Amino acid sequence: MGKSACSTSPQQLESTCFILRALFLLLCCKHACCQCKILRCNADYVAATLNLRGSNKDTAYCNALRSYSHCTRKTARTCRGDLVYHSAVHGIEDLMIQHNCSKEGPTSPPRPRPPAPNHQGFESLDICNYEKNFLYKHGQPPTYQHCAAFGDPHVRTFHDEFHTCRVEGSWPLLDNNYLFVQATSYPVAKSSNATATGKLTIIFKNMKECIDQKVYQAEIDNLPAAFEDGSVNGGERPGGSSLTIQERTPGQHVEIRAAYIGTTIAVRQAGRQLSFAIRAAEQVARAFTEEQDLQLCVGGCPPSQRISRSECRHSGIAAETARLLCKEKLPVEDVYFQSCVFDVVTSGDANFTLAAHGALEDAKMFHPDAEKLHIFQTGVGCRLNSLPFLLVIVISNLLAIQLCF
């Protein structure tokens, strides 16, 4: 007949008994002096030998015993007279003899220690600090994107495309899992396709660990420094301070910081129009579904709503004058300069120079790549109307010729 399934050799029995004894001492001898680290030695030995398998288990067992012996020697001074300590020392000697283990040789790698318990409460987890969480998870800071809408409105998308739009009425600038931003526009002049933003609605969606849902709404001549409910932060939740609102210039410039999603928003008023600028973490900007496909910050203006900045309809200020006005605020003739000239000519309002200038200042603060700050588009600026000046030259020359004859 074969051997019983319960039969074991004396050496295996002795080894098993020693492990059980170590476990018993580990669990029951809590009274051991706090300076004596023998319980840690016992725990490391049990962990190292609990699941030994394969052909090299004897070698691994000897390594574990040598590590156990080394650990007991390090704690010998503080464990003198401790029953658990002396029991472990004698047990190690017996097992090394039984398994033919030499006292010198390799040891088991140290067991990784669990992280220290967090005693600082909810806020120390930084669950409402997007940048710190991202850095901890990915080992590098997050990447950011910038979008802006100002003036006519002109839209700079997250992908650095630049459109001038007619978009009269309400249109979503952003619609994702964290934010909803809607701009409402009105015509800047009769018989003109140009419009300007007169109302902005920003919804910070509920995030249970951090903020209650908050709504910010701005209209022309009403740029509040608080959310719609009168608060200036994210509410009473532990991470409520991760959403704040601050007035930079009374009635002209408000900044909203949403640290829990790595986002900063600027809202400005210049003349009779509002502007919007955002710096958003890339993962936040991309957190939307197929149904949320209409976002001016993502796809720009729909092709049917785009207008050319070269088609300036005169409304009280000539293109030459507009260029001079815009040049004072915008020395680089990029899309911000072109947009400024278009808006001043179309609206007849010199205050639109402030809108383009504010948008450029926001881009300097929010755009992650300084080399992409300026966008240059050729053949799209207002055409200079130099015909009257040419007629004067032609007529003057004709008169001079007649006088000569």
Side-chain angles (χ1 to χ4, degrees):
M1 293 182 66
K3 293 183 180 179
S4 167
C6 297
S7 63
T8 56
S9 68
Q11 286 185 348
Q12 289 175 324
L13 184 61
E14 178 67 21
S15 176
T16 302
C17 289
F18 182 74
I19 290 176
L20 291 174
R21 214 164 48 235
L23 280 171
F24 176 78
L25 292 171
L26 177 64
L27 295 173
C28 300
C29 297
K30 298 293 186 181
H31 62 276
C33 175
C34 61
Q35 296 297 322
C36 181
K37 305 297 183 182
I38 189 61
L39 295 183
R40 178 180 293 178
C41 298
N42 290 348
D44 288 347
Y45 168 74
V46 171
T49 58
L50 204 54
N51 295 306
L52 290 180
R53 297 286 187 275
S55 57
N56 65 339
K57 67 177 183 179
D58 291 336
T59 302
Y61 190 78
C62 287
N63 292 346
L65 282 173
R66 280 190 288 268
S67 295
Y68 195 6
S69 178
H70 181 66
C71 184
T72 58
R73 287 198 299 272
K74 287 198 299 183
T75 194
R77 186 173 182 179
T78 56
C79 291
R80 187 177 301 161
D82 187 275
L83 178 62
V84 179
Y85 166 77
H86 289 289
S87 176
V89 169
H90 291 300
I92 293 169
E93 292 175 355
D94 292 341
L95 286 174
M96 292 190 77
I97 293 171
Q98 291 172 21
H99 290 271
N100 295 321
C101 298
S102 62
K103 291 185 178 181
E104 301 297 329
T107 58
S108 297
R111 184 164 63 108
R113 303 292 177 199
N118 191 332
H119 299 294
Q120 298 179 359
F122 178 86
E123 291 185 358
S124 66
L125 298 176
D126 286 326
I127 196 168
C128 297
N129 188 314
Y130 182 88
E131 289 187 357
K132 286 187 177 180
N133 273 312
F134 192 95
L135 182 62
Y136 177 78
K137 292 177 181 177
H138 303 281
Q140 59 185 14
T143 54
Y144 293 93
Q145 294 182 324
H146 167 59
C147 170
F150 67 96
D152 182 61
H154 312 281
V155 175
R156 179 174 186 153
T157 72
F158 284 135
H159 312 294
D160 293 320
E161 296 175 347
F162 198 92
H163 301 151
T164 297
C165 321
R166 56 172 57 92
V167 291
E168 186 175 349
S170 297
W171 290 75
L173 293 171
L174 280 172
D175 183 11
N176 60 40
N177 297 343
Y178 304 97
L179 282 169
F180 177 79
V181 181
Q182 179 176 275
T184 303
S185 300
Y186 66 95
V188 297
K190 292 181 179 180
S191 69
S192 171
N193 287 329
T195 58
T197 300
K199 182 179 179 180
L200 278 169
T201 302
I202 306 171
I203 300 176
F204 297 87
K205 298 180 181 180
N206 171 70
M207 192 169 177
K208 65 179 183 178
E209 300 91 346
C210 301
I211 68 155
D212 304 316
Q213 177 170 294
K214 293 290 178 178
V215 179
Y216 179 79
Q217 191 161 282
E219 297 183 70
I220 292 176
D221 296 330
N222 182 21
L223 205 66
F227 296 108
E228 206 170 43
D229 61 2
S231 64
V232 293
N233 58 34
E236 299 300 323
R237 301 187 184 186
S241 61
S242 64
L243 176 63
T244 58
I245 184 168
Q246 186 175 2
E247 190 174 51
R248 294 295 186 186
T249 306
Q252 296 180 20
H253 184 193
V254 167
E255 188 173 275
I256 306 173
R257 291 183 178 272
Y260 69 101
I261 52 173
T263 296
T264 304
I265 292 174
V267 178
R268 296 175 183 262
Q269 177 174 341
R272 306 299 298 168
Q273 68 88 43
L274 300 177
S275 63
F276 166 86
I278 186 171
R279 175 184 185 260
E282 185 174 357
Q283 285 190 344
V284 171
R286 292 183 176 183
F288 57 88
T289 64
E290 293 181 359
E291 289 76 20
Q292 298 167 303
D293 59 340
L294 182 56
Q295 301 180 63
L296 301 190
C297 275
V298 176
C301 302
S304 63
Q305 297 295 317
R306 299 175 191 174
I307 56 179
S308 171
R309 291 190 299 280
S310 62
E311 299 174 4
C312 300
R313 295 193 178 185
H314 191 279
S315 184
I317 298 180
E320 293 88 345
T321 304
R323 286 179 62 85
L324 292 174
L325 290 171
C326 293
K327 197 73 173 177
E328 292 177 6
K329 297 283 186 182
L330 304 158
V332 179
E333 295 191 15
D334 58 0
V335 291
Y336 293 98
F337 175 83
Q338 293 171 354
S339 300
C340 175
V341 174
F342 177 88
D343 290 346
V344 172
V345 170
T346 303
S347 68
D349 185 357
N351 284 320
F352 273 86
T353 59
L354 301 176
H357 178 259
L360 180 59
E361 291 301 304
D362 288 335
K364 289 177 181 177
M365 291 292 295
F366 290 167
H367 200 287
D369 188 349
E371 293 184 359
K372 295 182 179 180
L373 174 64
H374 297 286
I375 299 174
F376 297 95
Q377 295 177 347
T378 57
V380 294
C382 285
R383 298 189 183 96
L384 295 177
N385 186 8
S386 56
L387 183 58
F389 180 68
L390 290 175
L391 285 174
V392 170
I393 294 176
V394 171
I395 292 171
S396 298
N397 287 336
L398 289 174
L399 287 173
I401 293 172
Q402 289 179 352
L403 289 173
C404 290
F405 289 96

